[in-house]
Amino acid sequence: MKYRITDETRRLESGEILHRIVRTDGGSGGFVQSENNLSQAGTCWLHGDSLAYGEARVEEDAQVYGTVSGSAVARGHAAIHGRLHDHAVVEGDAKVYGNVGGSHHIGGDEVIYGNLD
């Protein structure tokens, strides 16, 4: 187990209650709605006050500095600095600095700065 869910919470305007995560070594992470949002495998992580909720998944070695929600998936070595939502998937070495939603699939070494909804 690489992290645990704490009692520290954050309520979103939409009503969801998220919980702060903490690494087993004590390092603080972002907020998840449930353990289903962040895999215990790999080096994937939610940094700072980043968020993962709904049916969203952060897997493998993906790093989140923003928000992953809906049924979106971040995996591989993806880095999410903006917002990933709906059914969008970002994988490989792709980086998102904007807003990616809908059913967009971003991979390889693509870098998204704008909005894809």
Side-chain angles (χ1 to χ4, degrees):
M1 201 176 211
K2 72 178 175 189
Y3 73 90
R4 66 179 176 80
I5 294 176
T6 70
D7 291 334
E8 181 183 347
T9 62
R10 178 174 177 180
R11 181 183 298 271
L12 303 179
E13 288 181 22
S14 54
E16 288 95 342
I17 297 174
L18 309 184
H19 301 269
R20 172 83 67 188
I21 56 171
V22 174
R23 289 187 191 272
T24 53
D25 68 5
S28 183
F31 291 84
V32 297
Q33 188 171 15
S34 78
E35 214 172 89
N36 295 328
N37 298 126
L38 179 65
S39 174
Q40 289 280 2
T43 61
C44 56
W45 193 245
L46 296 161
H47 298 271
D49 288 332
S50 59
L51 311 173
Y53 62 96
E55 295 177 20
R57 293 281 304 150
V58 179
E59 305 171 334
E60 299 171 1
D61 300 318
Q63 303 297 305
V64 176
Y65 303 88
T67 300
V68 181
S69 64
S71 296
V73 177
R75 63 179 168 232
H77 293 280
I80 309 301
H81 296 270
R83 183 172 175 235
L84 183 64
H85 59 99
D86 296 333
H87 299 284
V89 174
V90 175
E91 60 187 353
D93 292 317
K95 295 181 179 27
V96 171
Y97 294 93
N99 184 22
V100 176
S103 53
H104 288 284
H105 188 143
I106 309 299
D109 58 359
E110 289 185 79
V111 178
I112 305 298
Y113 287 102
N115 296 321
L116 293 174
D117 286 320

